[in-house]
Amino acid sequence: MLNRNKHISQVVVTAAQMRDIEARIFAAGMPVSALMEKVAGLIAKRIQEIWEPSNHVGILTGPGHNGGDGLVVARELHFRGYDVWIYLPFDKLKELTSQHLQYAQSLGIPCYQEIEQLPDCDFLVDGLFGFGLEREITDPIASVINQLNEWNKPIISIDLPSGLHTDTGEVLGTAIRANYTLCLGLWKQGLLQDQALDYIGKAELIDFDIPWADVQAVLGDVPKVKRITPTTALSTLPLPRPPVTHKYKEGHLLLICGSRRYAGGAILTALGARGSGVGMLSIAVPESLKQLLVSHLPEALVIGCPETETGAIAQLQLPENTNLSSFSAIACGPGLTKDAISIVQEVLASDRPLVLDADGLNILAQLGTILTLQQRQAATVLTPHTGEFHRLFPDIADAKGDRVKAVQEAAAQSGAVVLLKGARTAIANPQGSVWINPESTPALARGGSGDVLTGLLGGLLAQAVNKAIPVEDIVATAAWWHGQAGILAASERTELGVDAFTLSQYLLKVIVGRS
């Protein structure tokens, strides 16, 4: 059971996949009505944990089984002492939904068809539309939803807020702005897309015991799209270390970053790498930055390189008897400027696992993303934000829309592991597997936050290079760790108090007590 619960919390499905899974459950003999009773009972229990039974509640009811869930919730809350009313603006209902309406009315629960008739309430339960909605909501229901949103009453949505596309999170005309979303059975992909986040509030999973065999039958042994959970992220950390080891066994990372104009990028990337616990850290910077980096990271080997007139690295000047193959992994890009094109070309030609960020990505786009990466033999990780993504992959559809599809296409075309930054960072490997980070904070929307991630990711990659861990799993762990550091820092300092330097200092705090 523990193993099932661990997997269930990871799984992310589309509407079509959820239909197929439910179809298997019903074909095995589970009555639809029985499942509806079970689900609605769990929803009512969770609502009671959020609001006391003395509250007045309005149930927004649609014509399908999502509305049926809402009607059973109405009945259960009525029995638990809530003052309940039902809003049902539809005349034609599914048979089971109609039966639940009939019973609710027999209990004396009032039902209204016009929004102008609705009494005041303390909160609303949204059961208008369930998963699978694809057409745009139009008047008169669109106007009703807009009016309900203007009430500024807390709303709990069943499964997902009415009006959101299940897979993309797109707003289909208009949508309920929920404070809570109680997702049923398995996480819906749309709830993990950036464009849905203004509508879902706090999302929770209502696990109604879907048999794992039915999930596997539809999704396979390894689902294509998964949520990163603390358990999965921590499982890939290079902890505990063996009792007998040394610094080079714990990874040697080369950072190539910085310029006279962007010295801070080199420092922040290096601090992220330090936070990863990497055994040995070398940092290649323009000669004029060497003493600055040494003062911030005395434990690192700082390599001063010849620089251009503009203060960018002109050429790599590694220590004697050292070349790029001497390192476990390379991370390149923050603060480089586009004048460092020859440096990026050199690391792309190396046989080392490589993380590219910032100007490393901009230079890659100039070189031609797909053709350039097709020549690489070692693992490559790209970490673009949306603007960089469009420069790298101009032929891929808008990454602000269906981010899961966009990152899958980018990884497939390039052969790289692609991390698309955002409120819900998405990571894909070339085979189409996707990890989504389900938690983040707006505190990370500050200059330098991405540099810290690049260093952290490079450090983890260097430590894992001799371990049988998929690269995308290491990338997922870095994204989760980085996000959790931001969340922890914001909880202690407010969202305005999390600059990139502070963020780097919270990396270790995330791990202490968890590992």
Side-chain angles (χ1 to χ4, degrees):
M1 181 60 70
L2 289 176
N3 189 48
R4 173 201 174 273
N5 290 344
K6 180 184 78 171
H7 288 301
I8 285 290
S9 65
Q10 292 181 0
V11 173
V12 180
V13 293
T14 64
Q17 290 167 339
M18 192 68 196
R19 283 193 197 95
D20 290 345
I21 291 168
E22 286 194 345
R24 289 183 58 86
I25 296 171
F26 299 141
M30 167 65 82
V32 176
S33 57
L35 185 60
M36 187 176 288
E37 290 287 335
K38 180 173 185 175
V39 168
L42 293 170
I43 294 169
K45 179 177 181 291
R46 184 67 186 110
I47 289 173
Q48 191 168 4
E49 293 168 350
I50 300 171
W51 277 286
E52 295 295 326
S54 59
N55 289 125
H56 304 273
V57 55
I59 310 292
L60 312 177
T61 306
H65 285 169
N66 193 251
D69 291 336
L71 289 167
V72 180
V73 170
R75 183 195 73 208
E76 290 301 303
L77 293 181
H78 170 77
F79 287 147
R80 297 178 192 208
Y82 291 81
D83 183 11
V84 181
W85 52 256
I86 295 166
Y87 172 59
L88 179 59
F90 301 93
D91 293 321
K92 188 175 180 180
L93 310 179
K94 281 195 172 182
E95 182 179 359
L96 186 55
T97 304
S98 180
Q99 291 170 354
H100 284 303
L101 174 63
Q102 180 181 337
Y103 186 54
Q105 289 178 311
S106 77
L107 298 172
I109 301 175
C111 182
Y112 305 92
Q113 282 195 302
E114 302 296 332
I115 192 169
E116 293 77 16
Q117 300 172 334
L118 301 184
D120 193 20
C121 63
D122 297 301
F123 67 96
L124 296 163
V125 175
D126 163 33
L128 289 171
F129 302 107
F131 78 85
L133 183 70
E134 294 185 345
R135 65 181 183 277
E136 187 168 300
I137 295 176
T138 57
D139 285 334
I141 298 301
S143 294
V144 166
I145 288 175
N146 292 335
Q147 285 181 261
L148 292 167
N149 285 335
E150 290 171 3
W151 278 19
N152 290 321
K153 298 289 185 183
I155 302 177
I156 299 178
S157 284
I158 298 174
D159 210 11
L160 73 168
S162 296
L164 291 189
H165 192 285
T166 309
D167 301 347
T168 67
E170 177 189 357
V171 176
L172 299 171
T174 189
I176 289 287
R177 290 185 179 270
N179 300 84
Y180 291 85
T181 297
L182 304 182
C183 183
L184 305 182
L186 297 168
W187 287 103
K188 310 307 183 297
Q189 186 170 290
L191 296 177
L192 297 166
Q193 301 259 23
D194 281 14
Q195 58 188 338
L197 298 189
D198 284 338
Y199 295 84
I200 65 177
K202 185 178 189 300
E204 303 176 17
L205 185 68
I206 300 294
D207 183 359
F208 58 79
D209 302 315
I210 295 175
W212 184 244
D214 290 323
V215 176
Q216 286 181 305
V218 174
L219 303 182
D221 291 338
V222 181
K224 280 288 189 182
V225 183
K226 296 179 288 186
R227 294 168 74 253
I228 306 169
T229 65
T231 300
T232 55
L234 292 168
S235 70
T236 66
L237 286 178
L239 293 172
R241 288 183 170 177
V244 179
T245 187
H246 57 74
K247 60 189 177 184
Y248 292 108
K249 275 193 173 182
E250 301 306 329
H252 189 178
L253 173 65
L254 173 63
L255 294 181
I256 305 172
C257 48
S259 60
R260 280 205 305 267
R261 184 177 180 185
Y262 300 115
I267 295 170
L268 293 169
T269 307
L271 290 174
R274 169 198 272 173
S276 76
V278 69
M280 188 64 189
L281 175 61
S282 293
I283 313 167
V285 294
E287 181 66 40
S288 59
L289 300 189
K290 182 173 180 178
Q291 291 307 311
L292 177 64
L293 267 292
V294 168
S295 68
H296 281 85
L297 294 105
E299 77 280 10
L301 173 61
V302 182
I303 304 165
C305 298
E307 56 190 90
T308 66
E309 291 182 1
T310 60
I313 298 174
Q315 66 182 74
L316 288 178
Q317 191 167 289
L318 299 176
E320 190 176 354
N321 299 322
T322 302
N323 57 37
L324 292 179
S325 296
S326 304
F327 302 94
S328 308
I330 302 169
C332 175
L336 275 185
T337 78
K338 292 183 181 179
D339 292 341
I341 185 169
S342 64
I343 306 302
V344 175
Q345 288 175 313
E346 187 174 349
V347 296
L348 283 166
S350 76
D351 64 351
R352 297 292 87 187
L354 173 64
V355 180
L356 281 183
D357 184 34
D359 283 321
L361 297 175
N362 293 327
I363 291 170
L364 175 62
Q366 287 182 335
L367 296 172
T369 306
I370 308 303
L371 290 177
T372 302
L373 292 183
Q374 284 176 348
Q375 299 173 45
R376 269 188 62 76
Q377 300 299 312
T380 310
V381 181
L382 310 180
T383 62
H385 56 58
T386 304
E388 291 163 342
F389 185 92
H390 288 317
R391 290 191 284 276
L392 289 166
F393 304 103
D395 297 329
I396 293 179
D398 186 6
K400 291 182 179 179
D402 189 343
R403 292 164 54 81
V404 172
K405 182 179 179 182
V407 78
Q408 283 177 315
E409 291 182 5
Q413 290 183 19
S414 66
V417 172
V418 181
L419 178 153
L420 177 56
K421 297 171 184 172
R424 294 294 177 266
T425 291
I427 300 146
N429 70 4
Q431 292 72 45
S433 293
V434 176
W435 282 110
I436 303 176
N437 189 16
E439 290 186 301
S440 188
T441 170
L444 294 175
R446 294 184 69 164
S449 293
D451 299 340
V452 175
L453 173 61
T454 298
L456 177 66
L457 171 53
L460 288 177
L461 199 60
Q463 292 173 78
V465 73
N466 293 321
K467 298 178 174 67
I469 303 174
V471 172
E472 62 272 16
D473 289 4
I474 295 297
V475 178
T477 292
W480 175 87
W481 190 353
H482 180 262
Q484 291 298 311
I487 291 169
L488 180 60
S491 72
E492 295 184 2
R493 301 172 60 95
T494 78
E495 290 176 356
L496 299 180
V498 188
D499 58 89
F501 176 82
T502 298
L503 174 67
S504 71
Q505 306 308 299
Y506 273 79
L507 291 172
L508 183 59
K509 292 185 178 184
V510 172
I511 303 304
V512 172
R514 286 182 179 263
S515 58

